[in-house]
Amino acid sequence: MAYSIGQLAKSTGLSRHTLRYYERAGLMTAVSRDGGGRRCYDDRHVRWVRFLMRFREAGMPISEIRRYVDLLRQGEETLPRRIEILASHRQALQAKIQRLQEHLEAIEAKLELYGEGDDCLERALD
């Protein structure tokens, strides 16, 4: 199936600007054009954009995504380096999750205090 940039934007939740940026940045596979010069995406592009979105939503910088995509395109021999990128990002995500868990626990403790009717300024700062 063929998709216009507007249809792809709507189905992925990304803006047209972001899709064009991904293309210019070399993150997307080649996009064909119709007779009027408009971009024509296919199901492969939809899968590819969702692949990129997963990395972005996981907080991976564009530069790392580009590095990973470049390695992916080079083939099997780059597998060890791709694993290194993913393992490194996994470690960063785990650390972030730990920090977020600590923040959540602090907020839950405050809510518990307020639920007990404790509105003391000094305890609220803990």
Side-chain angles (χ1 to χ4, degrees):
M1 179 169 187
Y3 304 91
S4 69
I5 193 167
Q7 291 168 321
L8 184 60
K10 185 175 181 178
S11 74
T12 62
L14 295 177
S15 70
R16 294 171 189 212
H17 173 77
T18 298
L19 293 169
R20 286 188 294 266
Y21 171 75
Y22 284 175
E23 186 181 346
R24 282 192 315 274
L27 296 176
M28 292 186 60
T29 56
V31 178
S32 62
R33 306 273 180 151
D34 67 12
R38 294 177 293 270
R39 290 170 173 84
C40 294
Y41 299 94
D42 58 28
D43 290 331
R44 183 188 51 170
H45 291 106
V46 173
R47 287 192 314 275
W48 191 261
V49 168
R50 292 206 169 114
F51 161 80
L52 295 173
M53 288 173 64
R54 183 170 303 278
F55 280 148
R56 286 299 296 142
E57 289 172 5
M60 187 179 278
I62 292 288
S63 59
E64 279 297 289
I65 296 171
R66 184 179 297 118
R67 192 167 141 232
Y68 182 88
V69 166
D70 288 345
L71 291 169
L72 183 62
R73 288 178 177 148
Q74 291 174 35
E76 277 186 50
E77 67 275 3
T78 66
L79 183 59
R81 289 186 287 173
R82 286 183 276 144
I83 290 171
E84 286 175 19
I85 291 170
L86 294 176
S88 175
H89 194 68
R90 177 182 59 193
Q91 185 177 14
L93 277 176
Q94 288 170 332
K96 184 174 184 173
I97 289 168
Q98 178 61 40
R99 286 190 310 274
L100 289 171
Q101 185 62 41
E102 291 167 4
H103 298 320
L104 178 60
E105 290 168 7
I107 289 170
E108 287 174 345
K110 299 235 180 294
L111 287 170
E112 190 174 311
L113 280 176
Y114 293 146
E116 295 170 358
D118 190 342
D119 197 21
C120 176
L121 177 61
E122 287 306 311
R123 281 186 293 282
L125 298 177
D126 291 334

